[in-house]
């Protein structure tokens, strides 16, 4: 079984409830039909039921087993609004403002999760990353002991000799524009956990830089060196090394030459980039130029799984991301 087949099999076993706030979006409805047919999750669609059912009938899509909830009229609005006021009391949120915000499915979805009415959420087919993430960060918040939400890609390479049988995990490709050294350390530790839990990968984490073991001197290099030290303090058993250049991380001859004695150099399966610019550009380079399949972004560090789609996503991307979200919820 390849990685996606493994994830789908896990989702099938778990039968989690996933809320899709973009209930009137066509790819989302087509994905819902497949998810329900293959029994990968229970699906809640948010939006006007008449509108959603109308699109489904017009397009010949069977979503009869989906639960459809209208955030503007649902009976739980008052309960959710009171929760919002409690969570945002230090920000002065009023009940009236909370009720108004709940008209937005991107706010309603995270509140369903917070209340235990859904296990996870996927959105982003027609909304920006920021609009999907902000309510999730405000109401679902981070896991205990984690301060940073970040996003990883599982890069499935044609060359199976690289990484873990052709799988490399890249972080953070999606959320934190410019992490400080503590945040970068947390991203490394959280990514190792994600790699283990989703892909059964025993992590070998490379903290990437433009320098290997002091070959260059710069504040940006210091950040990666310090982040590696902090990550070791946070997770003493984690196999992690830095700072490493990309070739030192992946090519054994270069690794042995530039970082002799390193247990990670030359055989890394997790690449932690120093910032979002490098990571986001890096995953797209590998995807476009090396023809790798990029699965993600899989968001990590949130108290419940909420994932963001690219606006260019396909129906099968949505199906896969729902399966991943269900797996994370498990
Ligand atoms: N982890 C945990 N909490 C966070 C994080 C984070 N990474 N970022 C923000 N927060 C919290 C803030 O502390 C704040 O909490 P509070 O309201 O309780 O005080 C809340 O989330 C909202 O933060 P804001 O500062 O109001 O929101 P901001 O505008 O910074 O938005 C966001 C955060 C959306 C994640 C922003 O950092 C962002 O846009 N990141 C880049 C996303 C992106 O464009 N990625 C590339 C595209 S994805 C792709 O190509 C795969």
């Amino acid at each position: 079984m390849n990685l996606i087949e493994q994830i789908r099999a896990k989702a099938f076993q778990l039968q989690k409830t996933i809320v899709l706030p973009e209930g009137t979006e066509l790819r989302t409805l087509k994905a819902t039909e497949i998810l329900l047919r293959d029994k990968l999750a229970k699906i809640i669609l948010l939006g006007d039921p008449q509108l959603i059912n109308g699109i489904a009938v017009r397009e010949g899509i069977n979503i009869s087993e989906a639960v459809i909830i209208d955030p503007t009229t649902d009976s739980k609005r008052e309960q959710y609004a009171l929760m919002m006021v409690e969570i945002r009391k230090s920000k002065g949120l009023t009940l009236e403002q909370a009720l108004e915000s709940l008209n937005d499915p991107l706010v309603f979805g995270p509140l369903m999760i917070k209340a235990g009415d859904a296990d996870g959420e996927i959105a982003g087919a027609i909304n920006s990353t920021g609009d999907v993430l902000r309510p999730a960060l405000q109401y679902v918040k981070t896991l205990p002991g984690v301060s940073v939400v970040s996003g990883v890609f599982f890069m499935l390479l044609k060359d199976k000799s690289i990484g873990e049988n052709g799988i490399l995990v890249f972080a953070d490709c999606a959320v934190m524009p410019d992490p400080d050294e503590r945040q970068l350390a947390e991203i490394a530790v959280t990514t190792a956990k994600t790699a283990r839990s989703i892909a059964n990968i025993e992590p070998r984490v490379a903290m990437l830089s433009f320098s290997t073991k002091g070959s260059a001197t710069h504040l940006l290099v210091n950040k990666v060196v310090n982040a590696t030290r902090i990550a070791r303090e946070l997770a003493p058993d984690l196999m992690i090394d830095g700072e490493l250049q990309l070739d030192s991380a992946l090519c054994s001859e270069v690794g042995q030459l530039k970082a002799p004695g390193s247990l990670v150099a030359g055989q890394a399966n997790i690449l932690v980039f120093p910032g979002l610019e490098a990571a986001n550009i890096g995953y797209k380079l590998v995807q476009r130029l090396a023809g790798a399949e990029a699965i993600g972004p899989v968001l990590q560090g949130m108290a419940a799984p909420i994932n963001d789609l690219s606006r260019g996503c396909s129906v099968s991307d949505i199906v896969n991301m729902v399966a991943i979200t269900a797996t994370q919820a498990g």
Side-chain angles (χ1 to χ4, degrees):
M1 268 203 281
N2 67 27
L3 181 60
I4 280 296
E5 286 164 350
Q6 283 172 36
I7 290 167
R8 285 186 181 215
K10 252 192 225 176
F12 178 82
Q13 280 175 355
L14 290 164
Q15 288 301 301
K16 293 291 174 184
T17 301
I18 306 298
V19 57
L20 306 179
E22 294 162 333
T24 52
E25 200 275 326
L26 190 55
R27 287 163 297 173
T28 303
L29 292 181
K30 288 182 175 172
T32 298
E33 180 178 45
I34 296 169
L35 287 158
L36 294 171
R37 182 197 66 199
D38 295 351
K39 300 196 182 330
L40 298 182
K42 295 171 187 150
I43 298 295
I44 299 173
L45 295 165
L46 298 185
D48 177 351
Q50 229 179 334
L51 202 57
I52 294 173
N53 283 321
I55 298 169
V57 169
R58 191 185 68 217
E59 300 289 333
I61 302 167
N62 179 2
I63 53 160
S64 56
E65 281 178 48
V67 173
I68 303 178
I69 291 178
D70 186 345
T72 65
T73 57
D74 189 61
S75 61
K76 292 209 165 166
R77 282 171 57 80
E78 185 83 18
Q79 179 198 335
Y80 294 168
L82 288 169
M83 287 170 62
M84 290 168 75
V85 170
E86 176 61 25
I87 295 167
R88 305 290 289 171
K89 64 182 169 211
S90 66
K91 310 275 176 182
L93 185 79
T94 65
L95 187 63
E96 204 175 33
Q97 288 167 332
L99 285 165
E100 174 66 27
S101 301
L102 279 169
N103 292 333
D104 181 351
L106 294 175
V107 175
F108 196 89
L111 263 296
M112 288 191 75
I113 294 171
K114 192 74 192 170
D117 295 329
D119 299 308
E121 175 193 280
I122 293 282
I126 45 170
N127 285 288
S128 71
T129 300
D131 288 345
V132 173
L133 282 191
R134 222 166 279 113
L137 294 170
Q138 287 171 344
Y139 294 108
V140 174
K141 297 194 180 284
T142 51
L143 281 166
V146 176
S147 69
V148 183
V149 169
S150 54
V152 307
F153 273 91
F154 289 86
M155 304 300 298
L156 311 188
L157 302 154
K158 290 179 180 154
D159 184 346
K160 302 293 174 218
S161 70
I162 299 173
E164 194 70 26
N165 196 24
I167 302 175
L168 282 174
V169 187
F170 285 15
D172 161 28
C173 307
V175 187
M176 284 296 289
D178 186 18
D180 63 23
E181 54 198 40
R182 164 83 200 190
Q183 291 168 329
L184 196 55
E186 268 195 35
I187 289 168
V189 172
T190 313
T191 304
K193 288 183 186 158
T194 301
R196 212 182 253 129
S197 69
I198 292 189
N200 256 332
I201 287 175
E202 197 43 45
R204 297 183 298 275
V205 184
M207 301 293 279
L208 295 184
S209 173
F210 56 84
S211 164
T212 299
K213 301 288 178 183
S215 64
T217 315
H218 195 278
L219 282 177
L220 291 173
V221 176
N222 295 348
K223 175 173 118 170
V224 178
V225 171
N226 291 336
T228 309
R229 178 182 45 76
I230 297 166
R232 286 194 175 116
E233 288 164 13
L234 293 173
D237 296 332
L238 181 61
M239 210 184 282
I240 181 167
D241 205 2
E243 87 290 11
L244 295 171
Q245 285 160 285
L246 183 84
D247 52 357
S248 306
L250 293 183
C251 312
S252 51
E253 317 85 74
V254 183
Q256 278 163 22
L257 187 72
K258 292 191 178 181
S262 169
L263 296 175
V264 171
Q267 48 180 343
N269 50 24
I270 294 178
L271 303 181
V272 176
F273 291 76
L276 180 56
E277 276 180 310
N280 191 272
I281 294 166
Y283 101 78
K284 285 176 196 278
L285 279 174
V286 177
Q287 181 185 35
R288 298 287 166 183
L289 302 186
E293 190 179 346
I295 299 174
V298 178
L299 298 184
Q300 53 181 12
M302 204 105 63
I306 293 184
N307 281 306
D308 175 41
L309 297 162
S310 154
R311 272 174 282 184
C313 66
S314 65
V315 172
S316 99
D317 290 336
I318 302 176
V319 172
N320 290 339
M321 286 309 296
V322 169
I324 288 172
T325 307
T327 306
Q328 287 178 293

